Amino acid sequence: MINSHAEPRRAYAEFSLVLDPDVYEPLPDDWLIGITDVVSSTAAIRSGRYEDVNYAGASIIAALGNAWGSFDFPFVFRGDGAAFALPANGIMAATSALRDVAGFAKAELHLDLRVGLVTVGEIRANGRDVRIARYAASESATYAMFAGGGIKWAEQQIKNGRFLVKPGRYAMKPDLTGLSCDWAPFPSQRGEILSLLVEPRDHTRPEVFAALARRLLAAFDAAPCRSHPLSGGTGMAREKQVSAKRWSEVASNSDFRKFDDGLRLTLDCAPDQIDSVEAMLVAARARGEIDFGLHRQSHALMTCLVPSGRPDSHLHFLDGMGGGYAKAAEMMEEGALEEVVRQRAL
């Protein structure tokens, strides 16, 4: 079992509280950070393979939890990949799971899944940190929130070829019990499904970012149901419609809002609401406070995890169907580059 004493025991029921940098607690130096992402995910999404991309992205969470025998470890679904943290004694389980899901993605989904593993100590030696808080989306679903810039740094390093876990010979599918994409895409009820990424440019001043994040959330929370993409009526599974009670549980246990070295949101918004928030973000980027990317689409997509033996602890990972987080990340990278060019020209 995971040494839970190394991470926060308290879970915050109000999302605004996890915007406070003081609620985050550092992980020990010897803990491991794992990262996965689908290579060329936007091209796969353009060809209509958004479900495969999300399934590959979430696969490490299911594979590692089933292999470890517990899902009580910090993780975050990121659309075309995921990140997780494990104590040092989990290195064999983490390495094996990363290799297995990379082999599975290649052999059965025909996707290249880049996987890597790095210690928290290595991240700190390079000027970033990994701190954890827990957000209780409902009484039965708790998600980890990451701060400190360490996950972002690890992702960049792994994309540059460092800390990679080389996939082994694919012999057997990893145990992905509980992972499914059984829901039809969810159309927007308010105008557009927004995928939004907002990251601080300066991780040494988290209070500045927290203040901006609160203003952004206030703008979204002004709408009914806080722009929740699953708040309208009931959802339709592939084969049957679920009860209103079950749908309410699914909606409550979804990760439409999370903090992953920045805000990561999947929301159902009116177009003018998005325009207003985008203007705020453009101004903050011009002040050098943030980088951001957003993508608008017509539907949201849900990938579900129902841990074996713990059906009440079902978790539901949300992304936009038209590219979602992958397209928002692409825009963020392009916008950051444009801002650098602009500042140099001044």
Side-chain angles (χ1 to χ4, degrees):
M1 297 293 290
I2 289 179
N3 175 16
S4 60
H5 297 292
E7 54 175 307
R9 293 183 176 184
R10 180 179 178 182
Y12 296 89
E14 180 58 48
F15 185 79
S16 63
L17 295 178
V18 299
L19 300 178
D20 182 352
D22 291 336
V23 307
Y24 286 79
E25 300 177 26
L27 290 179
D29 277 355
D30 63 353
W31 270 51
L32 306 164
I33 300 299
I35 302 284
T36 74
D37 79 285
V38 175
V39 179
S40 302
S41 57
T42 52
I45 291 166
R46 277 197 300 269
S47 66
R49 303 193 60 211
Y50 43 83
E51 287 187 357
D52 287 344
V53 168
N54 278 186
Y55 192 80
S59 62
I60 186 59
I61 300 171
L64 185 55
N66 287 327
W68 189 249
S70 169
F71 286 86
D72 185 24
F73 60 91
F75 59 79
V76 60
F77 171 67
R78 313 175 93 216
D80 60 350
F84 65 84
L86 272 189
N89 65 346
I91 188 167
M92 296 300 294
T95 302
S96 177
L98 287 166
R99 285 176 174 158
D100 287 349
V101 296
F104 161 74
K106 183 72 171 180
E108 300 195 25
L109 299 178
H110 308 293
L111 294 170
D112 289 323
L113 188 66
R114 185 188 289 115
V115 298
L117 199 62
V118 60
T119 66
V120 172
E122 180 72 26
I123 292 171
R124 288 197 176 113
N126 285 274
R128 298 296 177 92
D129 200 1
V130 183
R131 300 193 303 274
I132 300 292
R134 287 193 172 276
Y135 169 57
S138 72
E139 292 184 359
S140 59
T142 301
Y143 292 95
M145 307 282 123
F146 291 86
I151 299 296
K152 178 69 173 181
W153 181 88
E155 176 191 32
Q156 291 172 335
Q157 298 304 307
I158 288 164
K159 285 184 175 181
N160 290 336
R162 300 183 67 198
F163 310 117
L164 292 175
V165 174
K166 295 182 179 179
R169 186 175 180 180
Y170 182 61
M172 185 172 64
K173 179 180 177 180
D175 184 359
L176 301 179
T177 300
L179 187 66
S180 66
C181 296
D182 291 339
W183 297 89
F186 304 100
S188 168
Q189 303 296 311
R190 302 179 182 91
E192 293 178 304
I193 297 294
L194 173 68
S195 298
L196 177 62
L197 301 177
V198 189
E199 295 180 354
R201 192 170 289 175
D202 183 358
H203 288 274
T204 66
R205 300 175 64 202
E207 68 284 352
V208 174
F209 184 81
L212 174 64
R214 290 190 182 95
R215 292 199 299 272
L216 296 175
L217 287 177
F220 290 124
D221 286 354
C225 300
R226 299 183 175 181
S227 302
H228 197 314
L230 305 184
S231 62
T234 61
M236 181 67 73
R238 300 288 185 192
E239 298 180 0
K240 62 180 181 180
Q241 191 165 6
V242 300
S243 68
K245 180 178 183 297
R246 176 62 176 174
W247 178 245
S248 176
E249 293 172 351
V250 168
S252 295
N253 289 22
S254 65
D255 70 340
F256 75 106
R257 298 188 298 182
K258 48 197 168 186
F259 196 92
D260 168 24
D261 278 343
L263 284 178
R264 186 177 292 265
L265 308 175
T266 299
L267 304 172
D268 190 356
C269 309
D272 59 348
Q273 190 180 18
I274 300 175
D275 293 341
S276 175
V277 167
E278 186 172 12
M280 295 170 60
L281 293 169
V282 168
R285 185 174 64 188
R287 293 193 300 267
E289 296 175 1
I290 62 160
D291 293 311
F292 80 93
L294 58 81
H295 186 65
R296 309 177 191 219
Q297 57 249 291
S298 60
H299 289 68
L301 190 69
M302 185 163 68
T303 305
C304 301
L305 176 63
V306 182
S308 180
R310 295 177 59 191
D312 290 341
S313 298
H314 51 98
L315 306 174
H316 304 279
F317 307 131
L318 289 173
D319 196 6
M321 191 183 79
Y325 289 135
K327 292 292 288 184
E330 189 177 74
M331 175 188 169
M332 181 163 61
E333 291 169 3
E334 292 172 353
L337 180 60
E338 290 173 3
E339 184 63 21
V340 168
V341 172
R342 188 185 74 84
Q343 290 291 341
R344 288 177 177 173
L346 293 177

